[in-house]
Amino acid sequence: MKIVLQRVNHASVKVDNEITGKIDKGYLLLVGVGEGDTKEMADKLIDKISKLRIFPDENDKINLSIADVDGSVLVVSQFTLYADCKKGNRPSFTLGAKPDFANEMYEYILKECERKFKKVEKGIFGADMKVSLENDGPFTLILEA
């Protein structure tokens, strides 16, 4: 499982010109599911994300969690995180999970995020999404399990 976390001032996702998810301060999570990933892996990453202290405090020291700043989370599925570009010029996606399993895991991740975070918004699995964001920092982390 791979998650690209971006600390954002705001972010949104559109499908067919309709906003399906929109947040202000918080995290944009781009989630890729691979073959062999488990719910336990997802739990571990979500727990880590909930405890990360990557927001600045009153002294501008990176010291606050998403709960400390009353932040939100936007979760977007992104199978391209499993692109293999080692051979040729066209990426291979064979390392990513099959769509049915990936969707099941994405829905599980959403449910667990809703338990951990105050406000959770989402994209639509498998859709052609347009993601807009203002990265704060920029601050981007890559998490893997």
Side-chain angles (χ1 to χ4, degrees):
M1 185 166 302
K2 298 180 183 185
I3 297 178
V4 174
L5 178 155
Q6 295 182 298
R7 187 181 76 189
V8 298
N9 289 324
H10 55 82
S12 65
V13 61
K14 288 182 182 180
V15 176
D16 296 327
N17 269 343
E18 297 286 327
I19 294 175
T20 64
K22 182 178 180 179
I23 64 167
D24 290 319
K25 176 182 254 174
Y27 297 150
L28 169 61
L29 303 179
L30 304 174
V31 177
V33 178
E35 286 297 323
D37 285 350
T38 65
K39 291 179 179 177
E40 290 76 21
M41 292 170 144
D43 291 343
K44 183 178 178 181
L45 288 176
I46 294 164
D47 187 58
K48 171 62 90 176
I49 290 166
S50 72
K51 294 175 181 175
L52 285 172
R53 298 183 337 178
I54 62 171
F55 288 93
D57 62 17
E58 64 280 352
N59 297 314
D60 212 27
K61 181 177 179 181
I62 303 299
N63 199 30
L64 300 177
S65 72
I66 192 165
D68 295 330
V69 299
D70 200 28
S72 303
V73 176
L74 175 58
V75 184
V76 176
S77 64
Q78 188 166 352
F79 77 95
T80 60
L81 293 177
Y82 275 90
D84 182 354
C85 300
K86 291 177 185 164
K87 294 182 181 176
N89 296 318
R90 184 174 172 183
S92 168
F93 299 101
T94 59
L95 299 174
K98 302 277 186 276
D100 288 345
F101 177 69
N103 187 30
E104 178 185 324
M105 289 299 293
Y106 176 68
E107 291 297 326
Y108 178 80
I109 290 164
L110 284 170
K111 184 182 72 143
E112 292 305 304
C113 282
E114 288 169 350
R115 287 179 357 96
K116 286 268 189 191
F117 303 105
K118 182 178 176 182
K119 179 183 178 189
V120 176
E121 295 282 319
K122 63 183 179 175
I124 297 177
F125 182 87
D128 180 18
M129 296 177 277
K130 308 300 180 204
V131 179
S132 299
L133 67 132
E134 182 176 86
N135 194 316
D136 179 23
F139 205 113
T140 302
L141 302 173
I142 299 171
L143 303 149
E144 294 186 65

